[in-house]
Amino acid sequence: MATFTNFLLSKPPSSPSLFTQPSPLFFRPTTSSSSPRLAKPQPPLVARPTGPRGLTVRATAATQNSSPPASDERVQKVHSLEEFDAALRAAEDRLVVVEYEASRSASSNKMYPFMVELSRQCNDVVFLLVLGDESEATRELCRREKVKKAPHFTFYKSMERVHDEEGIGPDQLVGDVLYYGDNHSAVKQLHSREDVEKLIEGHKADHKLVVLDVGLKHCGPCVKVYPTVIKLSRQMSESVVFARMNGDENDSCMQFLKDMDVVEVPTFLFIRDGEIRGRYVGSGKGELIGEILRYQGVRVTY
């Protein structure tokens, strides 16, 4: 199970911006094709913009040191297509995070030490490093994966490419790893309507509030608010049950979203005693906390 205690702080220090534009890798660009899209419900789901208030997640690892840490044994260096494919197969259902670097990229040099530190914290996540301009073999790997600039991060689960990021800093990387690789026991991972019904039925007797986080795999606001969900699940474990579902995981999940009239994500459903008491649509962290407290009977003034 990934542990992120060092990265989830109530009063985080300021985190400098590493970069805004990724650096080109040194090979001939190729035309990229758009990622396949899953069928959307009617009306289509849309991502709700991020709210302005609430908790902030900051990364605490040092980012100013441009040289790699002495011990980076948990980051596997990949030098060819064959090594890359073998690493994905060996990971099985664990999250795989791939960083593509360029030797002349200052942004890559700043980002790599942080990824090494993150790899030490996340024992159930596989971290790979590809130096895109190292050789013709790595250039060929970048061409196949349609990676043109560095630093670039790709995320895989069960050999499926689930997410891409380009030109990000430590905070965003932490959020992505939490969202796509979380096995935190306090947040129930639901994969079907039957899972939802079983969870609700199981908490009728104890009268606990169930907070169901409904999102999509490729949803920036869903990713951004999820570290807050994890933090709250730890802080409120005695009185609140947190769960999440990705609507585009399978047909059962998508049908559940349609039945619940979920047309924007993230949507949080508040359930108690087997009934949906209300919902919050959006990713405002402060507003989410306020809504949870309100459904627990705490008066909240905005």
Side-chain angles (χ1 to χ4, degrees), residues 91-152:
E92 298 180 336
D93 62 348
R94 289 178 293 169
L95 177 69
V96 179
V97 179
V98 185
E99 179 184 4
Y100 294 87
E101 280 196 7
S103 58
R104 302 178 188 178
S105 168
S107 298
S108 293
N109 291 336
K110 289 181 180 179
M111 198 65 184
Y112 179 71
F114 179 79
M115 190 176 79
V116 170
E117 181 63 28
L118 190 58
S119 74
R120 298 191 187 116
Q121 301 289 328
C122 311
N123 294 325
D124 60 342
V125 179
V126 176
F127 291 85
L128 305 180
L129 176 69
V130 178
L131 189 59
D133 54 357
E134 176 186 69
S135 66
E136 183 55 35
T138 58
R139 292 186 183 93
E140 178 61 27
L141 172 57
C142 292
R143 283 193 287 269
R144 191 190 75 173
E145 298 301 305
K146 298 180 173 61
V147 175
K148 300 179 181 179
K149 296 182 180 181
H152 183 111

Side-chain angles (χ1 to χ4, degrees), residues 13 140 153 166 168 172-173 181 206 209 232 235 242 247-248 273 283 286 288 291 295 300:
E140 178 61 27
F153 292 87
E166 196 172 84
I168 61 172
Q172 184 63 46
L173 179 59
D206 60 21
L209 177 68
L232 293 175
Q235 295 175 339
F242 287 84
D248 51 357
D273 300 329
S283 57
L288 173 61
E291 289 298 294
Y295 285 103
V300 178

Side-chain angles (χ1 to χ4, degrees), residues 36-45 216 247-251 253-255 257-258:
R37 295 180 178 273
L38 296 173
K40 296 181 179 180
Q42 297 296 328
L45 291 168
L216 297 173
D248 51 357
E249 180 176 341
N250 55 51
D251 292 341
C253 293
M254 190 60 78
Q255 186 59 51
L257 266 65
K258 291 180 180 178

